[in-house]
Amino acid sequence: MHYFIFSNKDATLYSNYQSQNTGKDEILEIYKIPYSASYSGIVSGTLLSRALVSFDLTKVSQSIVNGTIGTDARFYLNLYVCQASHQPETTSLYIYPISQSWRQGIGKRFDSIIREGGVSWIYRDYDANLQWASTGSAFINNEVIAQLWDDENQFQNSGHYTYELSDLRADVTSIVKEWLSGSYANNGFLIKRTGSQEEDSTDYGLLQFYSTDTHTIYNPKLEVAWDDSTFATGSLTQSTVSDLFVYVKQLQATYNNRDKSRFRIGSRPKYPTKSYVLANPYNVDWYLPSSSYYSIVDSQTEETFIPFDTSSTKLSCDSNGNYFDLWMNGFHPERYYRIKIKVVSGSFEQVFEMPTSFRVSR
């Protein structure tokens, strides 16, 4: 099962605009530009920016307590790339839990009148005259997740990029569990380059991600994923994977984004064996192997909304066949989505893409 939370605030901090607030900017930026002379009074030798993003975990915490979300849940930070330029062969991004509270503010980087109220490089709340414990935000140093962009332009470990600017999906489970347990206060994530890269003389280019205030579908999201599958086949017959047809049973044209919906998956032999009997071979109740998974794709952009995962997207089975459940509140309304099914059995692996889309409504 997958559950999505949209960010409730974010901002970019700029070392060369130390008290400027960018809380309402549509873009989050992470850059590192070296220079040899003083720039806007900054003499550290580099121009830096870092990104902050925060999520309200109240409902997640309640859902774990009441059993709606499994205790084995994993958490992924999803940021969507707007632009990446002048990147080296290997790019490292570090994600930290922020150790102090901060206020978003209503400024933008290119406002004709610079707004200082809210968070900035020096201040966590300018109006209240609250400064960071260390300029550029304060963070807990012993919680780090590195995301590496190697010479194949692919993020390794739990995140990924491609040359076509695919997106960041970083496993932040260790940080979120510290928040949920109360070990740390939930002040959000800080995303930055490594300390050594921020301090050296190399130009690492620009990374731009869409922010909370984007007018696109690419808001930052925190993804909650856990295994909610059950598998009881009863008197069903397992499908033969070498001769397989997979489809969605009674797919609705529209689903409401306030609902939790169940999708039934049917299967049968593509070419039933001919026999001289009166029984209809299509009336047999079949089921797919327990190592079968679903994925959800945006029909317009062809981007993967929910990826195949061996733990959180397993198909369930009951006496009526295979199925999976979706919470629709994490889907963008008035968009169309398609279902993919992956079947794995021994050395056999095949992905079946359902041709019909469904729409999510408000």
Side-chain angles (χ1 to χ4, degrees):
M1 173 69 82
H2 285 245
Y3 181 77
F4 294 92
I5 309 164
F6 295 102
S7 55
N8 60 350
K9 63 178 180 178
D10 56 28
T12 302
L13 312 182
Y14 296 94
S15 68
N16 52 316
Y17 303 101
Q18 294 202 344
S19 61
Q20 182 179 10
N21 174 260
T22 64
K24 285 296 182 180
D25 225 328
E26 293 88 352
I27 296 296
L28 298 173
E29 291 189 318
I30 300 173
Y31 67 56
K32 155 70 182 306
I33 302 172
Y35 62 94
S36 56
S38 176
Y39 182 88
S40 296
I42 312 301
V43 293
S44 62
T46 57
L47 304 180
L48 298 174
S49 72
R50 298 168 173 177
L52 312 179
V53 60
S54 175
F55 300 87
D56 185 349
L57 297 176
T58 304
K59 290 185 178 179
V60 171
S61 179
Q62 294 170 348
S63 296
I64 292 176
V65 170
N66 65 30
T68 306
I69 292 178
T71 56
D72 62 336
R74 300 198 64 80
F75 299 87
Y76 300 90
L77 174 62
N78 289 267
L79 296 178
Y80 299 90
V81 174
C82 172
Q83 180 183 356
S85 61
H86 302 97
Q87 293 301 301
E89 290 184 349
T90 300
T91 294
S92 299
L93 292 184
Y94 276 27
I95 302 171
Y96 300 85
I98 301 170
S99 60
Q100 293 180 284
S101 62
W102 51 283
R103 189 169 67 85
Q104 177 174 283
I106 59 172
K108 292 187 176 183
R109 183 184 177 190
F110 295 110
D111 280 344
S112 56
I113 299 176
I114 293 179
R115 298 180 186 271
E116 295 180 322
V119 70
S120 62
W121 188 263
I122 294 178
Y123 294 94
R124 55 193 180 96
D125 187 347
Y126 181 90
D127 291 337
N129 196 30
L130 298 175
Q131 296 190 11
W132 292 112
S134 176
T135 54
S137 77
F139 53 90
I140 299 171
N141 198 42
N142 63 347
E143 290 285 347
V144 178
I145 298 175
Q147 303 297 318
L148 303 179
W149 192 355
D150 69 8
D151 56 7
E152 298 296 327
N153 291 317
Q154 298 279 339
F155 253 116
Q156 301 300 300
N157 301 327
S158 56
H160 65 279
Y161 274 112
T162 67
Y163 186 74
E164 290 78 18
L165 302 183
S166 104
D167 305 306
L168 172 65
R169 182 175 181 259
D171 189 335
V172 292
T173 302
S174 61
I175 294 176
V176 175
K177 286 193 172 181
E178 296 283 9
W179 289 337
L180 293 173
S181 70
S183 297
Y184 304 150
N186 175 16
N187 295 310
F189 298 103
L190 168 70
I191 303 99
K192 63 187 286 293
R193 295 193 183 277
T194 66
S196 60
Q197 287 182 338
E198 287 190 339
E199 294 169 3
D200 66 22
S201 59
T202 304
D203 185 343
Y204 292 103
L206 170 69
L207 280 171
Q208 291 184 329
F209 299 96
Y210 292 100
S211 79
T212 303
D213 295 287
T214 180
H215 298 291
T216 71
I217 63 171
Y218 300 114
N219 315 66
K221 292 198 293 282
L222 186 67
E223 177 185 354
V224 189
W226 72 99
D227 184 6
D228 68 331
S229 64
T230 60
F231 215 85
T233 61
S235 60
L236 303 178
T237 304
Q238 181 168 330
S239 296
T240 304
V241 295
S242 60
D243 176 27
L244 190 60
F245 178 73
V246 178
Y247 58 98
V248 183
K249 296 180 178 179
Q250 300 175 338
L251 180 68
Q252 296 176 204
T254 302
Y255 294 86
N256 192 285
N257 71 340
R258 294 186 296 273
D259 294 340
K260 179 181 179 181
S261 302
R262 176 160 294 185
F263 293 79
R264 285 281 176 184
I265 304 300
S267 62
R268 60 171 175 79
K270 185 181 294 186
Y271 306 108
T273 302
K274 293 181 179 180
S275 62
Y276 295 97
V277 296
L278 295 177
N280 186 341
Y282 293 104
N283 287 338
V284 177
D285 293 321
W286 306 88
Y287 72 91
L288 294 170
S290 58
S291 53
S292 298
Y293 313 93
Y294 68 89
S295 173
I296 306 297
V297 177
D298 187 299
S299 293
Q300 283 121 323
T301 65
E302 296 297 325
E303 293 173 311
T304 299
F305 186 75
I306 297 178
F308 291 118
D309 187 274
T310 55
S311 59
S312 59
T313 66
K314 293 175 66 175
L315 290 186
S316 294
C317 187
D318 60 17
S319 59
N320 295 313
N322 294 109
Y323 69 91
F324 64 90
D325 295 327
L326 286 179
W327 266 333
M328 311 306 293
N329 65 328
F331 288 72
H332 288 279
E334 310 310 323
R335 293 192 69 81
Y336 290 83
Y337 299 89
R338 291 197 318 278
I339 298 169
K340 291 183 178 181
I341 301 295
K342 180 164 71 173
V343 178
V344 180
S345 180
S347 61
F348 176 89
E349 180 176 321
Q350 186 172 351
V351 175
F352 300 86
E353 185 167 348
M354 306 300 104
T356 306
S357 300
F358 64 90
R359 181 172 69 93
V360 176
S361 66
R362 298 183 189 277

